[in-house]
Amino acid sequence: MVEPLTKTKETGQVYARPPEIEEEIACALKLGIDEILTRAVIRDSRVDGYMSSECMVYLIRRDAKSSTHKLVNELTPLLLKRCETNLYSKVTGFREPTLQEVHEEILGRLVELLVDGGNRADYFEIRFNDAFKCLRCEVCTYYQRHDDVSGSIEDKTDLDGDNDGGNIDDLHCEIDYDKVPSSLTQEDAVYLKQVLSDLTDMERNIFILHKQGGIPINSKFSGVTNLVNLLGISERTVRNHLRNAEAKLAALKEADNE
Amino acid sequence: MNSAQHNEIKLHDVLHEFVMAVERPDANSLEEFVKKYPQFSAELTNFTAEWLLQDLLSENDTSEKNVASGALISKAMSRLQNKLYEVGRTEANREQETNSNVNPFEGCQPAELKKIARSLGIDTTIMAKLKNGRIEGEIPTKLCDGFAKAFDVPLQVIKEIFSGPAIIQAQASFKSHAKPEVVTKETFEEAVRRSTLGDDEKEKWLN
């Protein structure tokens, strides 16, 4: 019998796995260890016999409660292998050795969640990719905050004064408060990746939230989400951080073109 | 669980809820969640930035990844083993704690038991009969209370032990060809009469 999840939503309703996952788990419970491992090796979901990561998580967590841990020891590395590929493409923007440490921390936290006996890993049995994305982002934001002392999001130091380090000419031009910027181009993304570790936490977050998330710097209408409200800093400071990030990106592009 | 841990778990749940509800974060979805969980406004903002960044960079990532690091997986597996050990130990401790809650007599040194018996005005034979469930019928509440206080456990725990099934000492079983059984139980009054207590002490319990 497939054990139900216990994690509840804000409303008190218990989370449920998608029916196809429930079905897959029920079938997997009838398989022997060798067959489970053979299926878990398949990485392409279109191939017959492919086992979903959600199902693997269920089997690992179930086995962690047993005394042998045979499946835990053999199935977990296969799940980690799937995650490893994802990590290398998604997690960037840290200098070595921090990058390596971030990768280790993400996988370390994942395995601890799987075997700690609590229900925090329930999310991984519902939509593994989303849950893993959440874990990845959680760890990355933690490291961003602790790795970058100069411009942490908690650092509300205004860049209004002399230390803004950027061109303030356009502060006097008319501000298009509710302007929603267009998404970054592929070229921008390539340069951004290279310059990421040179940006402070604040520069990076403001740049991404504004340029990629479309969150306006400020708004003349109260109640509209904007960076000034979200970050609790002045519009001028937001603009200066943004300008600093753009300047670093432009410098890289220029150097590349020369 | 302290409030910081509780807050961390709550944040963890909020972030998962956010990821599950939103395909790609934008001003509207962030606003919705910030309004719903204003206490996590900064965390949601940082998280959104990281999410957008990871999506952006991986969408445009065309480079071949060299993924051949067994070391990363080995380290994670090592953490897994540590966690399994830690969880196993916690569970064993909890089990031990539960067992000792069920029967406070177990694990108590004979000298200590003797001392408790003396302080309650009974001898060790009465105590042995009580703790082994060999006494039936009514047991003075004053005595049960005394045990509960001495072991610092609820009165109910003591009453359950005294009224539980009779236990035969493990040392006694080697003398028997068959599994020994307690055939007879005695009343508290009979136990007092058969005890080594002095007449005055017996009289005190019998009256």
Side-chain angles (χ1 to χ4, degrees):
Chain A
M1 191 194 140
V2 183
E3 287 173 37
L5 301 176
T6 57
K7 197 86 200 167
T8 52
K9 296 177 188 174
E10 190 71 7
T11 54
Q13 190 192 354
V14 181
Y15 277 105
R17 300 178 195 94
E20 63 275 16
I21 300 288
E22 288 277 341
E23 206 176 304
E24 189 189 355
I25 294 171
C27 292
L29 288 173
K30 294 175 193 151
L31 303 174
I33 289 188
D34 291 341
E35 180 61 24
I36 289 173
L37 296 176
T38 308
R39 290 183 183 207
V41 171
I42 303 169
R43 303 276 286 275
D44 187 344
S45 60
R46 292 162 301 184
V47 173
D48 254 7
Y50 168 83
M51 181 178 277
S52 71
S53 302
E54 290 85 351
C55 181
M56 287 167 79
V57 168
Y58 178 86
L59 296 173
I60 291 167
R61 293 177 77 195
R62 187 169 173 266
D63 192 56
K65 292 175 193 158
S66 77
S67 55
T68 58
H69 301 152
K70 189 165 166 50
L71 211 46
V72 171
N73 292 329
E74 298 196 34
L75 194 55
T76 313
L78 299 176
L79 182 68
L80 293 178
K81 259 198 156 62
R82 291 184 183 187
C83 301
E84 194 184 19
T85 319
N86 176 284
L87 276 190
Y88 284 106
S89 72
K90 296 274 184 183
V91 179
T92 48
F94 294 96
R95 289 194 183 94
E96 288 291 0
T98 311
L99 181 63
Q100 178 71 13
E101 212 178 293
V102 172
H103 288 163
E104 284 172 14
E105 184 60 21
I106 293 170
L107 293 192
R109 280 202 203 179
L110 171 65
V111 294
E112 285 182 351
L113 279 176
L114 297 184
V115 301
D116 77 356
N119 62 4
R120 289 173 68 189
D122 277 8
Y123 300 111
F124 290 84
E125 291 184 29
I126 305 167
R127 278 178 6 208
F128 184 88
N129 288 343
D130 282 348
F132 190 63
K133 179 198 289 178
C134 191
L135 175 66
R136 241 178 22 224
C137 293
E138 262 188 282
V139 174
C140 287
T141 44
Y142 174 86
Y143 271 86
Q144 283 293 346
R145 221 169 43 237
H146 290 82
D147 198 36
D148 171 41
V149 214
S150 55
S152 134
I153 202 86
E154 316 301 345
D155 177 10
K156 304 273 168 85
T157 316
D158 264 359
L159 292 183
D160 288 355
D162 298 335
N163 299 326
D164 65 0
N167 177 8
I168 58 161
D169 287 349
D170 64 349
L171 283 175
H172 304 291
C173 61
E174 199 181 333
I175 296 163
D176 190 354
Y177 282 102
D178 295 317
K179 185 188 172 198
V180 177
S182 53
S183 286
L184 294 164
T185 63
Q186 190 172 334
E187 190 198 7
D188 289 333
V190 172
Y191 283 114
L192 180 65
K193 196 169 183 174
Q194 293 176 53
V195 85
L196 216 48
S197 55
D198 292 329
L199 301 182
T200 66
D201 192 15
M202 198 63 118
E203 287 167 355
R204 169 186 163 280
N205 283 357
I206 287 173
F207 185 82
I208 289 294
L209 289 168
H210 183 61
K211 298 275 184 183
Q212 185 68 5
I215 299 174
I217 292 175
N218 204 347
S219 175
K220 53 190 164 193
F221 303 110
S222 63
V224 174
T225 298
N226 57 66
L227 293 173
V228 169
N229 289 345
L230 282 171
L231 303 173
I233 52 178
S234 74
E235 182 185 323
R236 191 171 171 149
T237 305
V238 174
R239 288 192 165 274
N240 284 335
H241 280 300
L242 187 62
R243 199 173 301 107
N244 287 347
E246 284 170 338
K248 286 176 187 175
L249 200 66
L252 184 73
K253 279 184 187 175
E254 205 175 305
D256 216 31
N257 289 335
E258 276 171 5
Chain B
M1 191 187 299
N2 61 35
S3 69
Q5 282 170 319
H6 181 264
N7 224 23
E8 192 191 318
I9 291 175
K10 172 86 180 153
L11 171 63
H12 179 81
D13 289 339
V14 168
L15 296 180
H16 274 287
E17 190 189 331
F18 188 34
V19 169
M20 287 173 123
V22 174
E23 202 174 320
R24 184 176 185 270
D26 56 17
N28 293 337
S29 53
L30 180 59
E31 183 183 0
E32 186 192 322
F33 271 78
V34 165
K35 274 187 182 157
K36 199 170 170 188
Y37 304 104
Q39 72 273 34
F40 296 128
S41 165
E43 289 84 354
L44 280 162
T45 307
N46 286 338
F47 185 85
T48 303
E50 184 59 42
W51 182 353
L52 286 167
L53 179 71
Q54 289 191 10
D55 279 357
L56 170 73
L57 297 184
S58 63
E59 269 167 26
N60 294 287
D61 186 40
T62 49
S63 60
E64 280 290 310
K65 296 292 164 200
N66 180 21
V67 185
S69 160
L72 195 56
I73 292 175
S74 298
K75 282 191 177 160
M77 287 306 287
S78 165
R79 262 176 86 161
L80 179 136
Q81 296 303 337
N82 290 342
K83 191 70 187 176
L84 277 175
Y85 177 73
E86 187 190 307
V87 170
R89 268 186 59 166
T90 313
E91 265 167 23
N93 287 347
R94 201 177 299 142
E95 206 170 295
Q96 206 177 355
E97 209 171 274
T98 310
N99 287 342
S100 61
N101 278 347
V102 169
N103 195 341
F105 288 94
E106 282 176 18
C108 197
Q109 294 297 316
E112 205 177 328
L113 288 175
K114 208 169 176 178
K115 205 170 139 189
I116 293 170
R118 205 178 299 132
S119 72
L120 295 173
I122 56 171
D123 68 355
T124 49
T125 59
I126 300 178
M127 177 184 260
K129 285 173 184 173
L130 284 167
K131 83 178 172 80
N132 292 330
R134 303 280 292 270
I135 291 178
E136 62 184 0
E138 207 180 323
I139 298 165
T141 312
K142 189 180 112 185
L143 185 60
C144 295
D145 263 336
F147 274 111
K149 279 180 191 152
F151 288 119
D152 194 22
V153 293
L155 179 63
Q156 194 53 32
V157 172
I158 298 296
K159 284 187 171 173
E160 276 170 18
I161 294 168
F162 290 172
S163 61
I167 301 165
I168 295 169
Q169 290 299 315
Q171 307 91 294
S173 62
F174 74 95
K175 292 179 181 169
S176 177
H177 292 295
K179 188 178 177 183
E181 281 175 37
V182 178
V183 185
T184 54
K185 283 191 172 191
E186 55 190 322
T187 62
F188 181 73
E189 200 180 310
E190 286 165 342
V192 170
R193 287 188 202 286
R194 287 174 187 152
S195 71
T196 57
L197 293 175
D199 288 345
D200 288 354
E201 288 167 309
K202 281 182 185 172
E203 202 61 32
K204 216 167 72 186
W205 287 115
L206 294 173
N207 288 334

